[in-house]
């Protein structure tokens, strides 16, 4: 007879994992000493920025940390995935950037957890890059809105900003408001295309606008274990960038892509799924290792791939 019990079956394992997510006390994480403010950026489209923003945020919130997601993409995908109101006219990141509302006015609670909040994006944001051009401190509007008082008052541990796939004033506003950049890289052909340019842009912003800015994590997304290519991309990225790359890799999973259709993160939609577990692991890794050291040798900035 086979030496396995019911506990070893894939369904039982998934059930156990789901139970773990639903009893978050077991998952409690230590709070960071200071609030960590980060943006998930890559000007390449469809690499998993939004998916990673909302699911990392959900993972951190499930582990007891207080997390705010700021949707800075006029597509409003992060707002959809977090199930918050973002019809035209809703107080959103647009009003925040224009100085017509405070962060507190624009912040909504998310159903997943009492620790999870979102400042949504509405379609109004689409015109904001042009409106911002003539404004004072146009590169720092978000930084000014997410100030120390606001963070303290709401006792926030993390702020995660979801960026659009471009390097306009919205992304620049995100990058002056944060210390940390997380770059998602899709485990696909052309994965590193444009990464060199992204690193140069980050380097330029850190030189001219925000000296605190640095890359604190690279997250490999949409890993398809059945393909040789995914493995090749993974080792190429790890060889090139070293320890800044999170150990946890996010698998390609249908559940991850289905969840936003239900206004949910994958951690609510299918908490026992591989995708949910991977995002939970990535969130825990991000918290446990702290802000990645931004010393010259360890920073990937300026080491753009050929
Ligand atoms: P954009 O540049 O348009 O803002 P993005 O970088 O935010 O895109 P996402 O919207 O997160 O990328 O993901 C792109 C698509 O890939 C979406 O349809 C999403 O559901 C899907 N996707 C993301 N991660 C996964 C995954 N791990 N498994 C399967 N599908 C995924
Ligand atoms: Mg997106």
């Amino acid at each position: 007879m086979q030496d396995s019990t019911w506990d070893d079956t894939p369904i039982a394992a998934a059930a156990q994992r789901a139970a773990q997510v639903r009893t978050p006390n077991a998952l409690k994480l230590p709070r960071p000493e200071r609030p960590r403010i980060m943006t998930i950026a890559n000007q390449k489209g469809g690499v998993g920025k939004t998916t990673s923003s909302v699911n990392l945020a959900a993972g951190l919130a499930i582990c007891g940390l207080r997390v705010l997601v700021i949707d800075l993409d006029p597509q409003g995908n992060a707002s959809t995935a977090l199930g918050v109101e973002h019809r035209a006219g809703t107080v959103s990141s647009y009003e925040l950037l224009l100085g017509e509302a405070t962060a507190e006015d624009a912040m909504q609670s998310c159903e997943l957890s009492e620790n999870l909040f979102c400042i949504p994006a509405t379609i109004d944001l689409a015109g904001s890059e042009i409106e911002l051009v003539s404004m004072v401190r146009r590169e720092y509007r978000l930084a000014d809105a997410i100030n120390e008082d606001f963070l303290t008052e709401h006792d926030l541990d993390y702020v995660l900003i979801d960026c659009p796939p471009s390097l306009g004033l919205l992304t620049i506003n995100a990058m002056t408001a944060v210390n940390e950049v997380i770059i998602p890289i899709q485990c696909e052909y052309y994965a590193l295309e444009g990464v060199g340019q992204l690193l140069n842009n980050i380097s330029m912003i850190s030189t001219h606008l925000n000296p605190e800015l640095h890359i604190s994590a690279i997250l490999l997304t949409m890993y398809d274990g059945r393909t040789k290519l995914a493995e090749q991309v993974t080792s190429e990225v790890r060889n090139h960038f070293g320890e800044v790359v999170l150990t946890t890799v996010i698998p390609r999973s249908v559940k991850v892509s289905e969840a936003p259709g239900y206004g949910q993160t994958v951690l609510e939609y299918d908490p026992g799924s591989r995708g949910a577990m991977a995002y939970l692991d990535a969130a825990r890794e991000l918290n446990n290792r702290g802000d990645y050291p931004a010393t010259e040798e360890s920073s990937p900035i300026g080491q753009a791939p050929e």
Side-chain angles (χ1 to χ4, degrees):
M1 217 184 110
Q2 228 184 352
D3 185 23
S4 77
T5 62
W6 183 83
D7 284 348
D8 296 330
T9 66
I11 293 176
Q16 268 176 8
R17 294 195 300 260
Q20 213 190 4
V21 173
R22 292 196 172 116
T23 49
N25 270 346
L27 295 170
K28 275 231 154 13
L29 281 176
R31 304 182 65 178
E33 266 172 39
R34 291 164 32 88
R36 290 177 65 183
I37 325 280
M38 47 184 70
T39 183
I40 294 69
N42 190 333
Q43 82 277 22
K44 198 168 153 79
V47 297
K49 292 182 287 296
T50 303
T51 306
S52 300
S53 307
V54 299
N55 288 301
L56 287 173
L60 292 164
I62 282 174
C63 295
L65 302 169
R66 288 176 63 82
V67 187
L68 168 66
V69 175
I70 302 178
D71 191 348
L72 216 59
D73 185 344
Q75 297 179 97
N77 295 153
S79 314
T80 304
L82 291 171
V84 295
E85 182 64 71
H86 63 110
R87 274 180 293 198
T90 309
V91 181
S92 66
S93 51
Y94 173 74
E95 285 77 8
L96 193 65
L97 287 169
L98 263 60
E100 293 170 2
T102 64
E104 184 163 287
D105 296 336
M107 183 162 131
Q108 297 183 36
S109 312
C110 302
E111 208 175 294
L112 170 73
S113 158
E114 58 183 16
N115 298 333
L116 183 59
F117 305 89
C118 177
I119 294 181
T122 65
I123 192 67
D124 297 328
L125 196 59
S128 66
E129 303 235 29
I130 294 168
E131 289 175 74
L132 283 169
V133 170
S134 58
M135 293 192 157
V136 284
R137 288 179 64 76
R138 62 183 175 191
E139 296 96 351
Y140 298 100
R141 311 280 307 184
L142 187 64
D144 292 345
I146 308 298
N147 51 39
E148 209 61 45
D149 286 350
F150 166 75
L151 297 171
T152 316
E153 192 172 326
H154 293 276
D155 207 17
L156 289 166
D157 295 309
Y158 280 86
V159 178
L160 277 72
I161 306 173
D162 184 32
C163 276
S166 60
L167 197 95
L169 267 177
L170 287 174
T171 302
I172 292 176
N173 262 274
M175 290 202 184
T176 58
V178 305
N179 300 336
E180 303 182 39
V181 184
I182 299 182
I183 304 180
I185 293 184
Q186 191 182 352
C187 301
E188 294 283 348
Y189 203 57
Y190 297 132
L192 291 177
E193 195 188 53
V195 171
Q197 194 198 347
L198 175 64
L199 300 189
N200 289 336
N201 291 335
I202 294 172
S203 174
M204 230 150 60
I205 294 174
S206 84
T207 308
H208 297 291
L209 301 171
N210 178 12
E212 304 290 319
L213 189 71
H214 63 278
I215 298 167
S216 71
I218 291 177
L219 177 62
L220 290 159
T221 65
M222 294 185 241
Y223 180 89
D224 185 344
R226 295 165 304 180
T227 68
K228 252 206 167 110
L229 179 64
E231 188 48 53
Q232 282 166 358
V233 172
T234 305
S235 45
E236 195 180 336
V237 171
R238 287 200 193 284
N239 284 339
H240 193 86
F241 293 106
E243 285 184 4
V244 76
V245 186
L246 291 183
T247 313
T248 311
V249 173
I250 309 300
R252 183 175 277 286
S253 134
V254 176
K255 300 289 182 190
V256 171
S257 58
E258 283 174 353
Y262 296 84
Q264 291 182 333
T265 65
V266 72
L267 284 131
E268 295 158 279
Y269 178 64
D270 190 348
S273 64
R274 284 180 318 125
M277 281 307 107
Y279 270 114
L280 185 63
D281 286 347
R284 295 178 69 80
E285 189 181 348
L286 199 64
N287 188 70
N288 290 344
R289 79 174 192 177
D291 187 357
Y292 190 76
T295 60
E296 284 228 335
E297 316 88 84
S298 64
S299 168
I301 289 181
Q303 303 170 24
E306 300 292 301

